[in-house]
Amino acid sequence: MAIRNIVQISDDVLRKKSSEVKEFNEKLIELLDDMKDTLFACPNGAGLAAPQVGVLKRVFLVYVDNVLYEFINPKIVKEKGTQVGDEGCLSVKGKYGKVKRFMTVDVIAKNRYGEPFRIKASGFLARAIQHENDHLDGILFVDRATDLVEEDN
Ligand code: CO
């Protein structure tokens, strides 16, 4: 277990498309555990995708309402309604913006052992899933955001 470095927006790795996980092995478990440590080390972090730690694999975590969800090879299979809300990103420090997302999404994915599951998510959980899923295709929230604001530090 270790905290990995979170790459920032200038890094090209964030713009690449991630590939599917084919082997559910020790290396994947290590990646997931490290991603958890890395996410939990960030106050207000609601999610982290593997490309953010420089690994181009279709893997992300979301942490919403004190529950940690792990998604491997996720696919959004159903989308319903819309919501507009504020987003930020651990790879885009100090910037926030309003992003339009689906209100509800159904996702199929695999867990760390390669077992399939399906989840229906709404509201902020659905937002976090859509944000993280975008990372797997090289899309950042700033691409979708309106009213982008920079925090003064
Ligand atoms: Co992000």
Side-chain angles (χ1 to χ4, degrees):
M1 308 244 281
I3 293 171
R4 299 201 188 185
N5 182 49
I6 297 177
V7 300
Q8 292 298 306
I9 189 161
S10 55
D11 197 316
D12 285 347
V13 78
L14 292 172
R15 294 308 193 171
K16 297 198 166 127
K17 201 171 157 72
S18 291
S19 56
E20 295 229 326
V21 171
K22 295 215 167 66
E23 289 180 72
F24 291 79
N25 55 19
E26 219 27 63
K27 210 177 160 195
L28 175 67
I29 303 280
E30 193 185 330
L31 172 66
L32 287 162
D33 287 345
D34 285 359
M35 284 174 64
K36 183 178 100 174
D37 288 351
T38 307
L39 177 60
F40 283 5
C42 302
N44 308 320
L48 185 69
Q52 293 181 274
V53 293
V55 177
L56 287 167
K57 291 284 176 199
R58 302 192 79 81
V59 172
F60 66 75
L61 308 181
V62 293
Y63 183 64
V64 174
D65 294 333
N66 300 312
V67 180
L68 181 71
Y69 303 83
E70 295 181 342
F71 293 85
I72 294 143
N73 299 343
K75 284 193 178 68
I76 295 175
V77 292
K78 203 169 163 188
E79 301 157 332
K80 217 177 148 188
T82 57
Q83 57 172 318
V84 177
D86 289 323
E87 284 186 28
C89 179
L90 296 173
S91 293
V92 189
K93 271 187 198 147
K95 279 191 182 171
Y96 299 89
K98 292 216 183 303
V99 183
K100 188 176 172 184
R101 299 284 189 187
F102 295 107
M103 178 56 88
T104 304
V105 291
D106 285 28
V107 187
I108 55 170
K110 287 189 169 167
N111 68 13
R112 57 168 60 201
Y113 308 110
E115 298 159 347
F117 67 94
R118 183 180 178 121
I119 185 172
K120 182 187 272 296
S122 287
F124 187 72
L125 178 59
R127 171 176 299 284
I129 288 170
Q130 290 167 83
H131 175 117
E132 298 312 325
N133 197 57
D134 271 352
H135 275 297
L136 308 185
D137 293 319
I139 299 165
L140 300 175
F141 87 94
V142 293
D143 305 340
R144 300 190 187 277
T146 56
D147 307 322
L148 208 59
V149 291
E150 216 152 328
E151 202 178 51
D152 320 310
N153 278 319

